[in-house]
């Protein structure tokens, strides 16, 4: 899928009140805004037209827009996020997406976070995690099947979301952590396995012919260089403190 657009949301002053399991300490909101601006700039450099929504009052995780929808070439599936405090984020994301796609909505008791959904070609891997349940995965699967796509559920036993650990870095290559390296569902792909001490770099974002990776992971960078794509490194330290990373800061389509 060639991307032309992205939707993002500027972090609010309350971003430190979001959900996190990290022990890295509270984020510096000023630094986070600088990192966010650099992220938007990188998406622009990849050729995308980027919508930047205003912070969503009362939703300190609202800038992690990826979790609120799954956008395919055919449809935008609006999620029912697995974390109850995040459910109020979806309405404004749906409003932004309705200009571009028909929307369908995941219904409770189904829950799903976009961070659990990896589209590779016309196939979807849907992580079953603390945030995404069987019903939510099935509803998304049925929605995309209606447009000729296929899907596979994948249990997520490590990390917050499936894409915390597994991402496509080319049409046929996945970057992944050791936890997923031998997973039978992923066996048909070339696999680049990140070192355990560089597991966070598994959340690398492919935007058309470029890769955007978190700064500070030299072994992963060297492995990715073999793909011959331009690499942009970004410091996302303040989002990492809130269990977020590069993929979760935008919806690309
Ligand atoms: C959360 O726990 O929901 C947020 N603090 C982080 C969400 C990160 N989203 C993503 O990786 N797709």
């Amino acid at each position: 899928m060639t991307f032309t657009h992205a939707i993002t949301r500027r972090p609010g002053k309350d971003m430190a009140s979001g959900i996190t399991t990290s022990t890295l300490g509270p984020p510096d909101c000023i630094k986070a805004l600088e990192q966010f601006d650099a992220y938007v700039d990188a998406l622009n450099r990849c050729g995308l037209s980027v919508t930047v929504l205003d912070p969503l009052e009362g939703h300190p995780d609202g800038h992690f827009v990826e979790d609120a929808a799954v956008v395919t070439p055919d449809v935008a599936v609006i999620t029912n996020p697995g974390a109850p405090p995040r459910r109020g984020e979806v309405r404004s994301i749906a409003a932004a997406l309705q200009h571009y796609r028909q929307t369908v909505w995941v219904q409770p008791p189904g829950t799903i976070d976009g961070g659990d959904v990896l589209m590779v070609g016309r196939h979807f891997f849907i992580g079953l995690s603390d945030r995404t349940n069987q019903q939510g995965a099935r509803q998304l699967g049925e929605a995309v099947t209606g447009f000729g796509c296929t899907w596979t559920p994948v249990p997520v036993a490590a990390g917050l979301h499936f894409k915390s650990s597994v991402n496509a870095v080319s049409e046929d290559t996945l970057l992944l952590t050791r936890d997923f390296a031998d997973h039978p569902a992923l066996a048909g792909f070339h696999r680049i396995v990140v070192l355990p001490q560089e597991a966070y770099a598994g959340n690398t974002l492919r935007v058309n012919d470029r890769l955007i990776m978190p700064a500070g992971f030299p072994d992963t960078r060297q492995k990715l260089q073999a793909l011959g794509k331009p690499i942009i490194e970004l410091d996302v330290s303040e989002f990492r403190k809130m269990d977020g990373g590069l993929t979760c800061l935008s919806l690309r389509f």
Side-chain angles (χ1 to χ4, degrees), residues 87-101:
R87 293 192 183 145
E89 297 172 21
V90 299
R91 191 172 293 275
S92 72
I93 293 297
L97 283 169
Q98 72 183 1
H99 302 295
Y100 303 99
R101 296 285 190 279

Side-chain angles (χ1 to χ4, degrees), residues 15 18-21 60-61 63-67 83 86 89 113-116 131 160-161 163-164 203 239 241-249:
M15 68 169 287
I19 307 165
T20 190
T21 59
D61 281 315
H63 49 286
F64 295 127
V65 290
E66 176 180 65
D67 295 320
R86 299 200 59 192
E89 297 172 21
D113 280 13
D116 278 317
R131 301 289 178 91
L160 176 61
H161 291 123
K163 281 190 292 189
S164 307
N203 188 252
F239 299 106
K241 292 173 181 172
M242 300 309 295
D243 285 348
L246 288 163
T247 62
C248 50
L249 287 170

Side-chain angles (χ1 to χ4, degrees), residues 23-72:
T23 53
L24 296 169
D28 175 331
C29 299
I30 305 292
K31 203 168 161 193
L33 281 173
E34 288 166 9
Q35 293 179 351
F36 176 80
D37 287 341
Y39 179 80
V40 171
D41 183 57
L43 293 180
N44 282 142
R45 280 191 279 148
C46 293
L48 304 195
S49 164
V50 183
T51 299
V52 181
L53 302 173
D54 287 333
L56 190 62
E57 207 172 319
H59 290 284
D61 281 315
H63 49 286
F64 295 127
V65 290
E66 176 180 65
D67 295 320
V70 176
V71 189
T72 83

Side-chain angles (χ1 to χ4, degrees), residues 9-252:
R9 182 188 298 288
R10 193 172 291 286
K13 290 189 184 73
D14 59 351
M15 68 169 287
S17 313
I19 307 165
T20 190
T21 59
S22 156
T23 53
L24 296 169
D28 175 331
C29 299
I30 305 292
K31 203 168 161 193
L33 281 173
E34 288 166 9
Q35 293 179 351
F36 176 80
D37 287 341
Y39 179 80
V40 171
D41 183 57
L43 293 180
N44 282 142
R45 280 191 279 148
C46 293
L48 304 195
S49 164
V50 183
T51 299
V52 181
L53 302 173
D54 287 333
L56 190 62
E57 207 172 319
H59 290 284
D61 281 315
H63 49 286
F64 295 127
V65 290
E66 176 180 65
D67 295 320
V70 176
V71 189
T72 83
D74 314 295
V75 67
V77 179
I78 309 302
T79 67
N80 180 36
R86 299 200 59 192
R87 293 192 183 145
E89 297 172 21
V90 299
R91 191 172 293 275
S92 72
I93 293 297
L97 283 169
Q98 72 183 1
H99 302 295
Y100 303 99
R101 296 285 190 279
Q102 163 200 352
T103 55
V104 301
W105 295 63
V106 171
Q107 302 297 333
T111 65
I112 188 161
D113 280 13
D116 278 317
V117 183
L118 176 65
M119 184 180 187
V120 194
R122 301 284 290 173
H123 187 77
F124 288 80
F125 293 101
I126 307 179
L128 300 174
S129 69
D130 287 348
R131 301 289 178 91
T132 297
N133 65 18
Q134 298 270 3
Q135 296 102 311
R138 193 170 336 109
Q139 287 182 45
L140 174 65
E142 284 170 4
V144 300
T145 302
F147 293 97
C149 294
T150 50
W151 69 286
T152 318
V154 186
V156 176
L160 176 61
H161 291 123
F162 183 59
K163 281 190 292 189
S164 307
S165 307
V166 183
N167 286 278
V169 288
S170 78
E171 296 297 313
D172 59 1
T173 308
L174 301 178
L175 179 70
L176 34 66
T177 61
R178 222 167 252 182
D179 299 300
F180 291 88
D182 300 317
H183 197 290
L186 310 176
F189 291 87
H190 296 296
R191 277 156 288 162
I192 300 174
V193 183
V194 297
L195 296 175
Q197 64 269 31
E198 296 202 0
Y200 184 72
N203 188 252
T204 284
L205 174 61
R206 175 184 174 214
V207 183
N208 300 336
D209 61 341
R210 295 172 199 233
L211 297 174
I212 306 179
M213 68 172 294
F217 300 94
D219 184 77
T220 306
R221 185 184 171 116
Q222 198 175 14
K223 287 171 175 160
L224 290 174
Q225 270 165 346
L227 295 171
K229 296 177 191 291
I231 294 175
I232 300 171
E233 273 192 39
L234 291 181
D235 185 2
V236 282
S237 60
E238 304 317 293
F239 299 106
R240 185 179 185 185
K241 292 173 181 172
M242 300 309 295
D243 285 348
L246 288 163
T247 62
C248 50
L249 287 170
S250 62
L251 286 160
R252 292 80 48 194

